[in-house]
Each structure stands twice: as C-alpha cells, then as structure tokens.
Amino acid sequence: MRAFLLMSLAIFLVQCKNAETFEGQKGFTLNAQDQELIDYLFKDSKANLPGESVMVIKNGEVLFANHFGLANVETNKSVTDSTLFKINSLSKQFSAMALMILVHQGKLNYETKLTDIFPDFPQHGDHINMRHLLTHQSGLWSYYGFIEEGRTEPLLNHEILEKLKQKDTVHFFPGSEFSYGHTGYALIPLFVEKITGETFPEFMQTEVFEVLEMNNTTIFSPEITIPNRALGYIIHKDSVQLDDESVVSAILGSKGVCTTTSDYYKWDQALYSDVLIPQEELEDAFHNWEDQKKTNTEGYGYGWNIRFEDDIKVLSHYGETTGFASQVNRVPSLQLTAVLFSNYIGADRNLMHKVNALTSIYSDYKIPMPIDIMMKKTIDEKGVAEGLKTYDVLKNDTRYKYELTSLSFLAASFYRMDRKAEAEGIYRKAIAEQPDYFGGYFGLARVQRDKGLEEEAISNYEKVLSLGTDEEGISDYVERQLVQLRKQ
C-alpha cells in the first residue's frame, strides 16, 4: 500500500506540471464548454492575491491539479504542492477516524457514554454516546457560547470540557435531533488523551499520518511554527487583510488539521483500502444514522455530509474560519474526488462553485451541475437578463439541477459582493418562480431597505412572516427589521 501511495504521488507531481497532457493520456478530454467554465472559475485566482490548491482524482489518477496565488502575501511566497492549508471542518473526517481506530482497537465502542470516560460529567452525559457526538446528535451546547466578550486568549479543548461540566442541561435530548456543530468533535482529542495517554497530535501522527506517509500533514498549534503553512486572509473587493488566527484557532478535533492536496490524495485513496481500519468498519462513516441505526438516506455520517444525486451517493464537507476555506466532494461509486483548499475568504460562493463544477464535469455530468454556477458565469459575462434566460433554458436540462434555494442563494452572493442590481433581478425571478418560498421576498426586502424604499421593504418582510420559515434566526431578524422600518 505504501509503495502504491508513493508511486501515485510521484505521478501526481508530474501531472501538476502538465495537467492538459495528462488528461489526453488518460482518455478524459474536456470539451470546449467545460474548459471555458473551468477557465472562468479560476480567472480571479491571481498571482498577487491569497491563493488555493485544487485537485480532482478519478480511479486513483489525478485528472486535474493546480495551485494559484500566494501562501504568504507579505513575503510574496507562492502556493505550491507543498503548501499546507488549515482545512477547518474537513478535519472532522480525520477526528472521526481517530475515534474509529480506538473502536477497532477495542478501547471503546460507539455506545460508550460520555460519563464512562469522564465520570464527573453531569448526569445528562449518561445519555450521550460516541455515535451521538460523531453525528451531531448529542445536544451539547456550542462552544462559541463559551467565549466571553473581548476575550483574546485561545479557547482550548480542556476548557470546553470544563465549561460543559458546568451545564446542567443539553440543547435537546441526545439522539432526538440533528444539529450540526463543533462541540462533539472537540471532545474527541480529550478521549484520545484519556484512553491512550498520548496527545491528539501524537496519536494522529503515529496512527494516521505516518501510516499513510502524509509527511506534510500536521495538527495546528499556535505555539509552533509549521513550515510551508499558508497564512489566512480576508478579501473584500481590492482589500486583502490578514486573518490567520482567532480565539478558536487552537481547538482541535472540530478543526486543526493542516495538510496539502498531495497528502490529501493519500488520505482519499486510503479510504478505499483496509490500511487504517477494515472497509466493513469504515463504511459506517459513510452512512446517515437515525435512532442509532445506519440508514442509506441523506444526512450526516462520521465527519461527512451525505446526499444523493440521481441515486449516486456523494460525500462532502465544507470548512471555513479565520481566513481559510475548504471543500471536498467524494463520489465513492465513481472513485471520484474533487478537493480545494484556500487561504482566503471572499464575499461569494466561488469555492463551492469550483468544486461542484469540477465534480460534475469529471463525472460526465452523472452528478448534475448546480444551475446557479452557469447563471453566475452568464451574468458576469453578459448581464443579469441573459443570466435569467440561462435559468429558463437549463432548468429543463437533466445535466443541471436547481433547488428551492438556488435563485435566492445566488442572489445573496451578488448582494454580499455589493452588486445589488444583479441581486434584485435574481430575487424578483425567485419570487416569480417560487412564490410560496420566503427567500426571494426576504432578499428583495433587504435590497429595498438599502435603497430607502421603506414601504416596499415592509411589504416583503411581512410576506416572509406570512409564509413562515424554519431557518434559524430569520423570523427574529425580520421582526427587528420591521420595528426599525416602521419607526422611520
């Protein structure tokens, strides 16, 4: 297995230098439209801005790989195949593996209770088991609520545990709901330390990174300098601001892995093998869980979001915080993975667009292309009217997909980029297409509020309340806006 991984990495490094030739050699030739789309998606990846590293793997071969921009703007250091990125919540798949290895070694099981490991945990810990933590069904409170206003000291894992011990309730009864969060995964490093006597970085190094020869991968610590690590930035219009660390940067488990795309290749390929744990055990990670039972439905596994596209299972995850964003789509039945790491956060959804587009293209559209990707390209190149025509044409094409939220989410990305004319046109299209969905009215109300059209904004905000929404915080936000607008 190690020999295979080393050979594949050598091939990968050659392919990075000449991806176009490689595509021809492997019989996967991009048509002109797909090549044009890829060129468009990466046209803003500039040499003088923070950058990204991208890779597409199919059947063990790297079909597309490239690196853009700067790992360090201040020193003008470019992103290369050896640049490490913080991958944020993509770390959860690695943390889940740590716990799965402990289960395989017989040191705990998925029914092990929180109080079995920490006997002084409050009584509600009797109802929280390892699977609840992995699948975001524990009901534990978000650790973001433990951050005092004005805090500058890093929040650490052991402090999260102590704060949780001071809580006498949970957000909901364990196992009764799904609520994506980070707290459960922040406990995994503490389990590792308590059970093995090793620190979490030590355990991951010996049990995962060394086994897979992921020699450029490590666990982040603000106390050490990590060679070749990219710094994180925020980009807004023409402004680039360093944003590398925050009070939650030192938390491990829910985040913390720093890696390269070439090392991620080794991780991805290992998930098709028994090198870490047997496949029959690993498969548990790639299924949704309800009532402690594995289901072949959409949901969340162990560190992976799970969805289906025309009956094809897609495993994915997104991660974003303090100047870094990352996205991976993995389609096991096609042995296809698209992954992108970046050291910047922008106002749009381009990172997701890039990974979703590459997944569609390199699956020969077996995984449909989100329609908003093509709409955004058309709007950028030809204007909003042509973009809306693109929607009308492609919504009936099975190679493309649109959802209830597609138009509103696309409009919101233009709104965040301060392109409000385009946003308004798309919001109005959303209302015409989906008159019973709140999203178009909500977005249009914000545009009208910004333009000083108070009466129109009030009318659309009231429409949002009449339609109702189960999205957290929307109704409260609308109520506050209505109070302010009615005072004016």
Side-chain angles (χ1 to χ4, degrees):
M1 178 66 187
R2 293 191 181 190
F4 166 75
L5 290 170
L6 287 172
M7 180 182 70
S8 299
L9 177 58
I11 293 171
F12 165 72
L13 295 176
V14 173
Q15 291 157 1
C16 287
K17 297 178 181 178
N18 196 343
E20 184 176 351
T21 301
F22 175 75
E23 289 167 359
Q25 290 171 345
K26 295 300 173 183
F28 195 101
T29 303
L30 295 175
N31 62 42
Q33 179 179 324
D34 289 339
Q35 184 61 64
E36 182 184 342
L37 175 58
I38 292 175
D39 292 343
Y40 159 76
L41 289 170
F42 290 97
K43 70 179 176 63
D44 291 329
S45 301
K46 298 177 181 177
N48 63 338
L49 293 175
E52 54 205 356
S53 185
V54 59
M55 178 176 58
V56 178
I57 311 162
K58 192 169 186 180
N59 296 321
E61 308 289 355
V62 177
L63 298 187
F64 177 80
N66 216 331
H67 318 288
F68 304 92
L70 298 176
N72 187 316
V73 173
E74 287 71 28
T75 63
N76 206 40
K77 185 176 181 179
S78 297
V79 172
T80 69
D81 63 333
S82 61
T83 299
L84 283 79
F85 294 83
K86 291 182 184 179
I87 62 171
N88 305 314
S89 285
L90 269 64
S91 302
K92 290 182 172 70
Q93 58 199 250
F94 291 90
S95 303
M97 178 61 76
L99 199 149
M100 295 179 79
I101 289 171
L102 293 179
V103 171
H104 176 68
Q105 294 174 345
K107 295 177 179 177
L108 52 70
N109 58 60
Y110 295 117
E111 286 70 41
T112 298
K113 303 293 193 296
L114 194 47
T115 48
D116 293 334
I117 301 176
F118 301 116
D120 59 339
F121 201 86
Q123 188 173 2
H124 55 258
D126 293 342
H127 304 286
I128 300 172
N129 63 33
M130 298 298 103
R131 188 172 287 117
H132 289 142
L133 297 170
L134 288 170
T135 59
H136 304 286
Q137 298 181 53
S138 69
L140 291 173
W141 299 98
S142 169
Y143 60 57
Y144 282 95
F146 302 152
I147 302 172
E148 307 90 345
E149 185 176 353
R151 178 178 180 137
T152 58
E153 292 287 322
L155 182 67
L156 302 176
N157 293 67
H158 68 83
E159 186 177 356
I160 293 171
L161 176 61
E162 293 308 312
K163 295 283 188 181
L164 289 171
K165 288 179 180 179
Q166 298 170 20
K167 295 284 187 179
D168 57 6
T169 62
V170 286
H171 187 50
F172 54 81
F173 190 81
S176 66
E177 294 182 29
F178 167 87
S179 180
Y180 180 81
H182 308 291
T183 304
Y185 277 81
L187 296 180
I188 291 177
L190 302 177
F191 302 155
V192 169
E193 183 175 340
K194 181 76 178 291
I195 292 169
T196 70
E198 297 180 90
T199 68
F200 184 65
E202 289 170 343
F203 181 87
M204 293 301 294
Q205 185 66 31
T206 58
E207 297 290 342
V208 179
F209 304 151
E210 287 182 4
V211 173
L212 302 184
E213 299 188 3
M214 297 175 67
N215 299 323
N216 291 315
T217 299
T218 190
I219 301 295
F220 176 78
S221 169
E223 299 175 353
I224 62 174
T225 299
I226 300 173
N228 295 321
R229 183 177 75 80
L231 297 182
Y233 299 88
I234 291 177
I235 298 177
H236 182 68
K237 296 183 179 179
D238 296 326
S239 170
V240 178
Q241 178 182 350
L242 182 67
D243 187 37
D244 190 60
E245 293 185 27
S246 73
V247 295
V248 297
S249 292
I251 298 172
L252 305 183
S254 59
K255 53 175 63 72
V257 173
C258 298
T259 191
T260 67
T261 48
S262 53
D263 267 10
Y264 194 87
Y265 169 86
K266 299 176 182 181
W267 166 256
D268 176 76
Q269 294 302 290
L271 298 182
Y272 294 112
S273 76
D274 298 329
V275 67
L276 294 175
I277 61 174
Q279 277 291 298
E280 58 267 27
E281 297 178 26
L282 185 55
E283 272 299 306
D284 287 352
F286 308 141
H287 287 77
N288 183 45
W289 289 82
E290 294 178 4
D291 298 325
Q292 299 293 290
K293 296 177 182 177
K294 184 165 60 176
T295 72
N296 200 33
T297 57
E298 295 193 342
Y300 198 92
Y302 301 168
W304 292 94
N305 288 298
I306 298 157
R307 72 178 193 273
F308 289 86
E309 301 286 356
D310 295 335
D311 297 324
I312 299 175
K313 180 183 286 189
V314 179
L315 309 173
S316 67
H317 219 292
Y318 179 73
E320 178 182 311
T321 187
T322 54
F324 293 87
S326 52
Q327 170 81 27
V328 61
N329 289 346
R330 191 167 186 270
V331 190
S333 64
L334 302 179
Q335 293 200 31
L336 171 67
T337 297
V339 61
L340 191 155
F341 305 147
S342 74
N343 64 325
Y344 68 91
I345 295 175
D348 56 21
R349 301 169 62 209
N350 269 349
L351 184 142
M352 289 186 186
H353 285 335
K354 292 169 183 176
V355 176
N356 288 334
L358 291 170
T359 304
S360 297
I361 290 169
Y362 285 95
S363 71
D364 290 321
Y365 288 82
K366 293 182 178 68
I367 308 301
M369 177 87 68
I371 198 170
D372 49 327
I373 294 175
M374 299 305 296
M375 287 185 66
K376 186 174 187 301
K377 178 178 183 293
T378 305
I379 292 169
D380 284 342
E381 295 174 348
K382 300 179 181 179
V384 68
E386 291 299 315
L388 299 181
K389 290 179 183 177
T390 296
Y391 174 87
D392 290 332
V393 171
L394 295 184
K395 70 179 181 179
N396 298 313
D397 188 329
T398 58
R399 296 176 304 160
Y400 299 88
K401 70 168 185 176
Y402 69 97
E403 301 171 313
L404 188 63
T405 58
S406 294
L407 290 170
S408 296
F409 278 18
L410 176 61
S413 72
F414 280 103
Y415 181 86
R416 289 192 298 272
M417 291 185 287
D418 203 27
R419 295 172 61 179
K420 294 178 183 177
E422 290 99 329
E424 180 174 356
I426 304 168
Y427 280 131
R428 291 189 182 281
K429 181 70 169 179
I431 292 171
E433 290 285 308
Q434 298 139 355
D436 296 326
Y437 175 60
F438 81 93
Y441 303 98
F442 175 77
L444 184 57
R446 290 202 298 173
V447 173
Q448 292 168 333
R449 176 202 61 194
D450 294 346
K451 293 170 67 174
L453 303 174
E454 288 89 357
E455 292 302 318
E456 291 88 341
I458 288 171
S459 175
N460 280 305
Y461 276 136
E462 289 175 340
K463 186 67 175 180
V464 171
L465 295 180
S466 70
L467 290 172
T469 171
D470 57 1
E471 290 195 23
E472 186 175 354
I474 292 293
S475 294
D476 290 342
Y477 173 87
V478 169
E479 292 281 9
R480 292 195 299 271
Q481 291 298 311
L482 284 171
V483 169
Q484 293 178 10
L485 286 167
R486 287 166 179 157
K487 288 180 179 177
Q488 295 177 8

